Amino acid sequence: MSKPPRGLGKGLGALLGDSDLTQIRKPVEYINKTVVTSDEHKGSADIMLIPVDMIEPNPFQPRTTFDTAALEELSESIRTLGLIQPITVRKKASDRYQIISGERRFRASRLAGLTEIPAYIRDTNDQGMLEMAIVENIQRENLDPIEVALSYQRLIEECSLTQEQMASRVGKKRASVTNFLRLLKLPAKVQHDLKVGLLSVGHAKVLLGIEDPEIQEKLCDLTIKEELSVRQLEDKIRKASKPETSGHEEQELPDEYFQVLELVGKYFSKDISLKRSPAGKGTMTIRFDSDQEIQKFLKALNSSNI
């Protein structure tokens, strides 16, 4: 069942208006990336272009059905913006690659008519080398914010690291790592504009404070069109939302709050949010998809695993 459209609120509706804010976006291109052929095997930290007819699904993929409408929607996004988040594969034979993660992106890319797609090639038998390669990749100075966020995500998912362990590996504060990972929750259009430099990380952090993806996209377009600074974007949103807020100004959360978000969030498929006032009071909102998630969380509480 499709979700009913969410209103913008009187303030934000007035701010965005009915004007056409749509930006003309060029698909993301992976410049100077080599197309992998049967004679080549590249490092697992680099993004390589692989012909789609050399890629096959993972037979151990737990997901057996893919929502057709969602695939069509993602396919249309890929046609417009390109594939922003590469898939991960392993080399199976001289001219065959098997998907480790990203089958939905692979299917949508094929549906969009792509003949080759960006991918990481992982040597599944050498996790230590993979970890070092990704960390080295993160330390490059020319990575865009989305590339950094994807590298962090790979360390967590493919090297089985916690956010705290990963922060130690890359020499960053845990809060900084968490903020980069949150960028991957933004709509594809906003990620695209971050990737190509039309939007800054500071702007993205402001947009993350808005829950509705549609409003995030429109505010992104407004920022680019009017060349708003981060402070100007904050001011516009604050003024537009003032009648609907309690008047408490949110502050940057201390590190221990991010630990709470990580510990509790791993039991739920939806994002959880935590807001804190200057006086130290606040709210934590947990969204869940099923009774099973609540039961899983309760079981962890009862066994003192949290």
Side-chain angles (χ1 to χ4, degrees):
M1 182 180 295
S2 60
K3 295 181 181 179
R6 287 170 285 187
L8 301 184
K10 293 182 180 179
L12 285 174
L15 169 62
L16 296 171
D18 296 324
S19 58
D20 183 10
L21 295 172
T22 303
Q23 301 294 318
I24 298 176
R25 293 175 168 87
K26 296 181 180 180
V28 168
E29 296 180 356
Y30 290 86
I31 302 172
N32 298 327
K33 299 300 180 184
T34 304
V35 177
V36 172
T37 68
S38 59
D39 298 326
E40 296 173 286
H41 181 62
K42 301 296 181 179
S44 60
D46 291 325
I47 300 171
M48 309 305 298
L49 296 175
I50 303 180
V52 293
D53 58 7
M54 293 173 62
I55 302 173
E56 63 183 46
N58 189 331
F60 303 107
Q61 161 68 255
R63 179 187 296 178
T64 56
T65 59
F66 293 82
D67 184 85
T68 303
L71 273 180
E72 288 283 358
E73 184 177 341
L74 179 57
S75 175
E76 184 59 35
S77 173
I78 290 172
R79 287 190 192 98
T80 305
L81 307 175
L83 184 59
I84 296 174
Q85 298 189 21
I87 68 172
T88 300
V89 300
R90 65 175 180 175
K91 191 166 186 177
K92 187 179 179 183
S94 60
D95 60 349
R96 302 300 296 171
Y97 293 85
Q98 192 174 80
I99 297 173
I100 295 176
S101 64
E103 184 167 339
R104 181 171 172 270
R105 279 166 279 156
F106 168 70
R107 288 175 179 239
S109 297
R110 196 166 52 181
L111 194 61
L114 271 61
T115 58
E116 56 192 35
I117 60 176
Y120 300 105
I121 303 174
R122 175 177 174 181
D123 183 352
T124 55
N125 296 323
D126 199 342
Q127 181 166 313
M129 288 297 293
L130 171 66
E131 183 179 324
M132 288 188 290
I134 295 176
V135 171
E136 181 182 358
N137 194 46
I138 292 172
Q139 292 171 344
R140 296 176 183 174
E141 294 181 356
N142 61 343
L143 293 183
D144 63 64
I146 296 300
E147 287 176 321
V148 173
L150 287 170
S151 296
Y152 288 166
Q153 185 182 58
R154 290 190 72 205
L155 277 174
I156 288 176
E157 294 181 352
E158 297 180 37
C159 299
S160 302
L161 299 180
T162 65
Q163 287 191 21
E164 188 170 354
Q165 290 171 330
M166 184 183 62
S168 175
R169 295 286 201 285
V170 299
K172 302 289 184 182
K173 289 185 177 181
R174 183 196 181 105
S176 173
V177 167
T178 301
N179 284 331
F180 268 101
L181 287 169
R182 291 176 67 219
L183 299 179
L184 300 179
K185 300 182 185 298
L186 290 166
K189 289 182 180 179
V190 182
Q191 288 191 39
H192 171 279
D193 293 343
L194 259 175
K195 190 171 184 65
V196 299
L198 293 174
L199 205 69
S200 73
V201 174
H203 290 108
K205 287 182 180 179
V206 176
L207 295 180
L208 282 165
I210 305 293
E211 292 188 1
D212 192 319
E214 180 183 354
I215 300 179
Q216 289 176 330
E217 291 179 1
K218 289 186 176 182
L219 286 171
C220 173
D221 288 339
L222 180 69
T223 298
I224 296 170
K225 180 180 180 180
E226 298 189 4
E227 299 182 352
L228 299 177
S229 67
V230 175
R231 179 61 61 84
Q232 289 171 328
L233 176 60
E234 288 176 330
D235 289 343
K236 280 183 176 291
I237 294 175
R238 186 180 298 113
K239 290 176 182 177
S241 305
K242 190 174 182 180
E244 302 175 359
T245 62
S246 62
H248 294 300
E249 184 178 354
E250 292 185 35
Q251 293 184 329
E252 186 73 20
L253 296 175
D255 282 356
E256 54 264 28
Y257 283 73
F258 288 104
Q259 293 180 32
V260 172
L261 290 174
E262 182 183 359
L263 287 171
V264 178
K266 66 183 180 181
Y267 295 97
F268 300 95
S269 57
K270 297 291 186 181
D271 291 342
I272 66 173
S273 60
L274 200 157
K275 295 182 179 180
R276 174 183 179 274
S277 72
K281 297 181 178 179
T283 59
M284 183 169 70
T285 303
I286 299 176
R287 300 174 180 84
F288 55 91
D289 273 340
S290 66
D291 291 339
Q292 286 73 25
E293 290 186 352
I294 294 295
Q295 292 166 1
K296 180 181 176 183
F297 182 55
L298 182 60
K299 182 177 180 182
L301 284 174
N302 291 334
S303 61
S304 301
N305 285 338
I306 297 181

